[in-house]
Amino acid sequence: MWNREDIRLLRSGPGNAIYRRVFLYSSYLLYWIAKCCHFVKLRYNLETHRLEHSNYNIIITKLVLAVKFFFVLRQCVEYLVMGFVIWIHLFIVEKADGQNFLISLAMQGISINALRRILIFLHSREDCRLIKQLVNEIINISRIIQSKFGMIYHCELSLLGLYLCKLYFVYIIIETMWNKPFFLWITLFYWILLEYCTFAYFIYHLILLNWYSNLAFFLQSLTEYHEGLQFISRHYHRRLLLLFKVHLRINRLHKDIKEKVAWLPSAIYLGIFTSIFNMELLLECVIYAHDDIENKMYIIADGCLGPALVPLFNVLILGICTDRLRSVELTLQQQIVIINILYVRKAYQHDHTLKVLHNEHTSLIVHQKLEPLNVIVFDIICDREFAFDYFLTVMITALSFIQYTVSTNRNLAECVTHK
């Protein structure tokens, strides 16, 4: 736990300024991408520090829509051919080839459905109002914590490093796909837009962790400051009551995001089909192919490495965020218990504020027990244990498919790539 001197050093150190820029520039990046691509009709008001509805220029909006439809509809013939091929495969292809085809078909169908939901989220008026409400609440809570408790900007380097590693594999997927002579624009848009939404979700969790850390820093400073004093100033009564209110607003915000953006963790989880299929190709190439090692490495990096690992990284990052949220929530809970004991010892026993603070403390502890902060995927808490089970499911299923492929005597002497 940090002491008051550590907190003072953190606020004045260069790390605080660096992490502040990480949050700031990430928010600007998300905002300007949405602005340039006409995803949501919102603009940031510098005077009120809030998002507001905005009407884009009609001509520019029509041009942007025309470009979006062009990239999708220009492959209409390819979609018809793909439908014909699907029809042939469903009735003719059998054994291992049929298995691989059905898996790839399920994988493509899930990605198209996820892309459909992302496009609705980024363009519908109802979701636009939801984004406005959620982002404005994030801005308001951040400003309250900044002005009343002081803000220390901090990010875990392990989480940032893990996300940057995952981002590199996403870049490999997009770069490889772009350099191929033929690819489906729908698949490219799926990877790009899913990563855009996942990045926003990741930044939200970093902000959430930062809020809780700052509230815990304040309570730690309050405890140390009053260790040698006989009474607690009324000034801190108001600050503590405000802290309970801020905590309640944070929990309401997180509950809204869990309920109204539940489709995003589900879309991330359903990447398991993509991971399984490409993990199968990766293991077949590594174990059975007769290619040279350099050729194997090139084929794997160019084809199945990114799609096999990115879904695993996504679930692992969500799992780590859930565990970090549990940790900071427990730390805050312990600090509140200490503050409650401190008030019992050093506040006037018949003070009305003491009774109010005690009631707020009790309700907060009960609320944390009933509705802890976490990430929910299909009604299951996504923590690191869930991420480990996810990884095992991918590996075991991929090995089972390989076993079936070997039993059908299919030729595995050459590496197979698939995007």
Side-chain angles (χ1 to χ4, degrees), residues 71-82:
F71 283 114
V72 177
L73 298 179
R74 69 191 295 264
Q75 292 184 320
C76 285
V77 177
E78 285 84 350
Y79 298 147
L80 292 174
V81 173
M82 185 173 67

Side-chain angles (χ1 to χ4, degrees), residues 83-98:
F84 181 67
V85 171
I86 290 172
W87 182 82
I88 293 176
H89 273 69
L90 287 175
F91 293 98
I92 298 177
V93 180
E94 298 177 349
K95 297 183 179 181
D97 291 331

Side-chain angles (χ1 to χ4, degrees), residues 124 192 208 359 391 407:
S124 72
I192 294 175
L208 192 60
N359 292 335
F391 171 74
S407 68

Side-chain angles (χ1 to χ4, degrees), residues 241-304:
L241 289 173
L242 179 62
L243 184 143
F244 290 128
K245 292 178 181 178
V246 169
H247 183 272
L248 181 59
R249 289 180 66 172
I250 292 174
N251 275 273
R252 286 175 177 170
L253 171 68
H254 190 68
K255 183 179 179 181
D256 287 341
I257 290 178
K258 280 199 303 183
E259 292 177 352
K260 298 175 181 177
V261 197
W263 59 268
L264 181 55
S266 300
I268 291 172
Y269 172 82
L270 289 174
I272 190 171
F273 290 92
T274 302
S275 184
I276 289 171
F277 183 67
N278 287 277
M279 187 66 71
E280 178 195 0
L281 298 179
L282 188 152
L283 294 176
E284 286 177 356
C285 183
V286 170
I287 298 172
Y288 293 102
H290 298 161
D291 301 69
D292 296 334
I293 294 179
E294 293 183 358
N295 192 35
K296 283 185 178 181
M297 292 177 61
Y298 175 78
I299 293 174
I300 290 172
D302 186 61
C304 53

Side-chain angles (χ1 to χ4, degrees), residues 200-216:
Y201 199 58
F202 173 68
I203 293 298
Y204 160 71
H205 280 88
L206 291 184
I207 292 172
L208 192 60
L209 288 168
N210 201 59
W211 286 344
Y212 268 83
S213 298
N214 279 275
L215 296 181

